């Protein structure tokens, strides 16, 4: 704690000017434990991977490198595939940056799947689908994307994406 040493026109001596409060204990979020459900089955074709059980069905597109449809209790929960979005609306502070974004083609990237891997848990309660893809814009702009989906038998899907520029040293 920092205190005023002497009295001034605006504060008495001993007035607290600054202080710091340290956390006593950090909050910890417990790991997610899915409820046990009917084991998952996996069907892998040349263009799609389907993970399902009696309650849910998730379809992954190898050509787009992503989750393309998801049904839970026969209700479609996605209207279109889950895709990388690198564009955001510009603000007044972005100024001349907008032209660079348009020249990079960030508004509409095309995607090409590069590979897929499926790992099944021995108990059938989880399936991990890893999909690699490249998202390409204009003028050499591209991103390598690796999507990880952990599909749980209770219907939960845990997602993680690693996005890397495909061209090193690129500037806007």
């Amino acid at each position: 704690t920092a205190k005023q040493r002497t009295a001034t026109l605006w504060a008495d001596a001993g007035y607290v000017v600054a202080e710091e409060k340290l956390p006593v204990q950090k909050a910890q979020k417990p790991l997610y434990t899915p409820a046990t459900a009917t084991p998952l089955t996996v069907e892998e074709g040349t263009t799609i991977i389907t993970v399902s059980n009696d309650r849910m069905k998730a379809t992954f597109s190898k050509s787009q490198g992503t989750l393309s449809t998801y049904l839970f209790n026969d209700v479609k929960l996605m209207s279109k595939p889950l895709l990388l979005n690198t564009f955001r609306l510009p603000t007044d502070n972005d100024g001349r940056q907008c032209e660079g974004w348009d020249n990079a083609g960030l508004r509409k990237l095309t995607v090409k799947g590069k590979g897929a891997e499926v790992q099944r848990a021995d108990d059938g309660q989880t399936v991990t689908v890893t999909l690699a893809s490249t998202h390409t814009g204009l003028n050499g702009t591209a991103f390598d994307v690796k999507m990880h989906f952990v599909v749980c038998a209770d219907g939960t899907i845990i997602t993680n994406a690693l996005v890397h520029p495909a061209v090193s040293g690129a500037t806007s």
Side-chain angles (χ1 to χ4, degrees), residues 34-40 53-55 123-125 152-155:
T36 303
T38 305
L40 296 165
N53 66 11
D54 60 343
R55 296 182 66 196
D123 64 1
Q125 293 298 301
C152 303
D154 69 354

Side-chain angles (χ1 to χ4, degrees), residues 129-131 145-150 157-163:
V129 179
T130 303
L131 300 163
V145 179
K146 189 172 272 192
M147 298 284 292
H148 301 275
F149 298 92
V150 179
I157 300 179
I158 302 167
T159 307
N160 185 36
L162 301 172
V163 181

Side-chain angles (χ1 to χ4, degrees), residues 38-159:
T38 305
L40 296 165
T41 61
V42 177
E43 296 175 34
E44 187 169 0
T46 56
T47 59
I48 64 169
I49 299 166
T50 303
V51 180
S52 62
N53 66 11
D54 60 343
R55 296 182 66 196
M56 56 81 58
K57 179 179 178 181
T59 306
F60 299 89
S61 168
K62 291 181 179 181
S63 62
Q64 291 187 318
T66 193
L67 176 63
S68 54
T69 60
Y70 180 63
L71 288 98
F72 186 78
N73 289 334
D74 295 322
V75 176
K76 186 176 180 181
L77 298 179
M78 294 176 58
S79 61
K80 58 185 177 179
L82 182 65
L83 294 174
L84 175 69
N85 180 5
T86 57
F87 179 76
R88 70 167 172 78
L89 285 175
T91 65
D92 291 342
N93 293 335
D94 292 325
R96 60 191 170 132
Q97 206 47 31
C98 300
E99 184 179 346
W101 294 343
D102 288 339
N103 289 339
L106 297 182
R107 293 178 194 254
K108 188 161 175 93
L109 299 173
T110 58
V111 62
K112 180 179 180 186
K114 302 284 245 181
E117 182 181 318
V118 178
Q119 294 177 328
R120 300 171 190 145
D122 291 338
D123 64 1
Q125 293 298 301
T126 61
V127 172
T128 302
V129 179
T130 303
L131 300 163
S133 60
T134 298
H135 296 250
T136 307
L138 302 173
N139 300 316
T141 301
F143 302 92
D144 288 327
V145 179
K146 189 172 272 192
M147 298 284 292
H148 301 275
F149 298 92
V150 179
V151 183
C152 303
D154 69 354
T156 303
I157 300 179
I158 302 167
T159 307

